[in-house]
Amino acid sequence: MTDSLLIENGTVLQTGKTPAVLRNHSVLIENGRVTKIAPQREIGKFTGRRLDASGKLVLPGFINAHTHCYSTFARGLTKTRPANTFMDVLKNLWWRLDSALTLEDCYYSALLALLDSIRHGTTAIIDHHASPKAVSGSLLCIEKAVKETGLRACLCYELSDRDGRQIVREGLEENASFIRHCGQVNDNRIKALFGLHAAFTLSDRTLESASELGNDLRTGFHIHVAEAASDQAFSQRHHGMRVVARLNKAGILGPQTIAAHCVHVNRKEMDILAETQTAAVHNPQSNLNNAVGIADVVLMSQRKVLVGLGTDAMTANLLEELRSAMWAQHLLANNPSVGFAPVVAALFSNNPKIAERIFHLPMGELREGCAGDVVLMDYDPPTPLHRENLFGHLVFGVSQAAVDTTIVGGKVLMQNRRLTLDIDEERVNARARELSEKLWKRL
Ligand SMILES: [Zn+2]
């Protein structure tokens, strides 16, 4: 039997190669994929579930190309020590927090981050997880939350040498077993990459083991690259080469690999990323918050690097991140006209490309054959809206509108701004508060 959903009479925004604003159009989703986009009268007889989208924008679900669900429990944490550098931020906050996480913390922090994603119309996330005192089974705990919410997620465990050899062994095994597990279940909602923290926390020996294992498993890697200048300084001091060159030499780069941040990469490194077809994922709010600098999205794009957009867990709202990326590029170039096209492309063209490489499913666009991942937003344009100014509306107007409905693979996860899942949110929040309070006491 066909599982079908008809989203009727909305204003459909096509944000792919050929942008379009299709008024009074309906979107038919069958067996998880978009099978028809047409004016209502051309849809014909339909007996499945209907959803009225009149007065609403119909958009493809957003993709978050780099985030950390585990950071949910940092919200409101005041027990931090002062941080004057990026290394302080890691040592005084993140490494203390992730080292205190239990498997139950991993599950609840992921569940909350995923519910937040649904509320903001984010339908797929690429997560980077760390819990060095609870490595084994952590990805299965996050997967459980992913399945309960119905979103799509790509998971990995961030391997690093900072906690010693035993944790390295566990990290290697956690990545490998979860990658094998995803291969076996073969579900286009749950995928894996091989996670690595960053070049400066990985010895050559660990990097080599990860590369061997990951390449044997035919997977890509997900790693923080040159997030702060200190990553480059460390690499040159200890390895005599820059970060991207070292990762390339180790066999980490490639079309399925995500290099998060790339704030401090030079032109030569950009060319290596482009040649190896490695995706660079920009996270402007995090970079500004940590005062590490601003990645040169314009130059990377000119040099043919595939630049995507992530939130690094600063938000689940990709349109908010898009705006921040825009302002940051203006500031970097000291020119308010710079960066619009590459930044818009990062979210609307490149994130779909990155996701397709991982999920093996066309997504992030509304056209026939793509994943039925759709968002309905309350936005009645107060000025003309057409294909030439569609992205201007997205940045300056739609980003301020509310997400009304979130759909993944034709399944409605939120409607009329209310979650339709079988999840007791009050109970989840209450348990999360208990767990986070205990976690904070352990710091
Ligand atoms: Zn990150």
Side-chain angles (χ1 to χ4, degrees), residues 169-197:
R169 277 190 285 274
E170 287 179 28
L172 287 165
E173 180 49 33
E174 182 66 6
N175 276 303
S177 66
F178 192 72
I179 291 162
R180 287 191 198 104
H181 164 75
C182 289
Q184 279 158 7
V185 299
N186 193 24
D187 181 341
N188 61 23
R189 286 170 306 168
I190 190 93
K191 295 290 173 192
L193 286 174
F194 203 109
L196 301 166
H197 173 247

Side-chain angles (χ1 to χ4, degrees), residues 66 68 224 261 312:
H66 176 74
H68 305 273
H224 295 113
H261 299 297
D312 209 14

Side-chain angles (χ1 to χ4, degrees), residues 230-243 246:
S230 53
D231 193 2
Q232 289 290 7
F234 185 94
S235 187
Q236 283 172 309
R237 195 163 61 242
H238 294 272
H239 303 283
M241 63 184 108
R242 291 180 68 90
V243 171
R246 181 169 172 238

